[in-house]
Amino acid sequence: MYEFFLADSLEKVFADTRPRPMLDCEIKSLQGARFAFQLVYHAQPFSDCDWMQRFTVSVSGAPGKVRIRELGLVPSDLPALDQRDCGYLRTAPGLYPDVLLPYDGYIRPIPGQWRSLFIDFVVDADARGLYDLTVTLEPEATSRLGNGQLVQRRAGVDVCKLNLCMDVVTAKLPKQTLLVTQWFHADCLANYYHCEVFSEHYWQILDSFITFAAQEAGMNMLLTPIFTPPLDTRSGGERTTVQLVGINREGDRYTFDWKHLRRWCALCKKAGIEHLEMAHLFTQWGALFTPKIVATVDGMEEKIFGWHVSATDPRYRTFLEQFIPSLRTVLEQEGFGSDRIRFHISDEPNLDQLSDYLKAKAQVVDLLDGCIVMDALSNFEFYADKVVEHPVCASDHIKPFLDNNVANLWVYYCVAQGVKVPNRFFSMPSSRNRIMGILMYLYNIEGFLHWGYNFYNSQYSVEAIDPYRVTDCRLAFPSGDAFIVYPGKDYAPLSSLRNEVQVHGFEDMQCLMLLEELTSRDFVDALLHEHLSYRLSFDRYPLDACYLLQVRNRCLEEIKKHL
């Protein structure tokens, strides 16, 4: 016996567990919004099912161009850390649904396994009213085996049709105002695809992954390797050089070649990236050293800064005095003025490193006058003492920032945020990923940062890894922390279930903002809490996907009423 049914986009379809079917087949959407659902399929073991039987899948009636992808399983040796709560789906090593693979035209149910197709589309800008969607599964009359043998369709296997009804509200999804950056690791792309940095193949790969970031991952800000970012690198080690700026040194004088940076800026503008963040000016976790910077000295390439040069070295100050003003001028010329760039001192400093952070900051702060300087951190003291005026706060340490009404607050999470707060690990329910949109709306968050758009290295970048085989950076971080896209064939990134769900969360935020424009903030606040006995916070929120789906539908109902 074959079984086919629809499930919502928040369901994670594990091979060994029957997923929850879609509860409501009448859904609402805005013009220009994304809608996604899953087609779940299964063949009963030890039955009369023919495991060679294939089905073609088609979707009709959708108010948008339909895309069908296969939800693939990937391995996880480390799904979760010991520090965790009860809000995980499972924590045992195994195969987890995540990568969205190209659909090759048919499905073949495997006896005893649950699988799914991920089906989505962007609602047409001129769509309005009711649409009846039909998913049709048609058994192939014959299937050809690898050896050329033809297998005939078995009697009794019929066409299956599954239906949805969509009501498109006559209002456009507003433009995303949330600033979003997920760190772009250019070196990982060069390593994975075995291409020379700055070759035409390399630029083609960058173009593809930058375009996907802007158009498919909700990113409007991009980490820019003016020099190789000093991130997740072991002390004394280094990552593949991807420095965009050519540097020539003669004594204490520096000249710069900006051609690669200008080309990078052009790719970003073409893709729709509106903001750039510069690579950190000092090493991670303490700001004790300078980043790796290479230059031509007496005709030879030389590593002029790195682990061998302290953060406070006068030679680095001399370099920065010439580099930063020239950099700012070039960025301005390329359309990225002071309001469209961000600088970093050092990533994730703690209180024990406060003194060193201040010394590093003193090297450059006057050169960054008029620019926004932001860093990821957990300690409120950095903001209270005006050490960091634009904090990017860890979600599990955000309460004092909120209690003190910090303006223009950003939020981030990573490996350490695995208890109570949202995250996007393989092992967590998708609702725990998507809820961030509602929470960021509710607490007026300006920006979201994540360190892993495409980190395909082991911890500390000791070696490159294959993200289809190693999803936890060699037992360092829970699977799902280090990257949200996979490197596909022909230099094309492949999305993940987590990426799709996260973007839906960003759109939740946009829908709530539209409703606020039509009503009031108090009205939207009441809608978000109308069936809750507690106030939503970053460490307390519904884990049930139904809450998120109901909030989206309720929001659209109210938008329709108030237009």
Side-chain angles (χ1 to χ4, degrees), residues 182-206:
Q182 301 176 90
W183 284 346
F184 191 99
H185 299 277
D187 63 314
C188 293
L189 297 176
N191 294 341
Y192 182 84
Y193 287 108
H194 304 290
C195 70
E196 182 182 349
V197 174
F198 302 131
S199 66
E200 285 305 309
H201 283 166
Y202 178 73
W203 284 111
Q204 183 181 347
I205 295 165
L206 292 182

Side-chain angles (χ1 to χ4, degrees), residues 45 67 105 114 260 265 340 355 426 429 487 515 523 546 549:
R67 177 171 53 176
W114 297 94
H260 292 320
C265 290
R340 292 186 178 272
S355 175
F426 286 5
L515 180 57
F523 185 94
C546 293
L549 300 173

Side-chain angles (χ1 to χ4, degrees), residues 236-257:
E238 63 179 79
R239 297 172 62 164
T240 299
T241 302
V242 288
Q243 177 179 310
L244 286 171
V245 182
I247 302 172
N248 186 76
R249 190 186 78 187
E250 295 181 4
D252 289 337
R253 291 186 59 81
Y254 296 88
T255 54
F256 307 104
D257 182 348

Side-chain angles (χ1 to χ4, degrees), residues 50 84 112 232 280 311 409:
D50 185 346
R84 58 178 183 259
D232 214 280
H280 296 67
L409 186 61

Side-chain angles (χ1 to χ4, degrees), residues 144-150:
R144 186 176 296 276
L145 303 183
N147 63 3
Q149 177 185 353
L150 286 176

Side-chain angles (χ1 to χ4, degrees), residues 472-483:
D472 50 29
C473 298
R474 295 281 186 220
L475 299 175
F477 314 126
S479 297
D481 187 40
F483 55 86

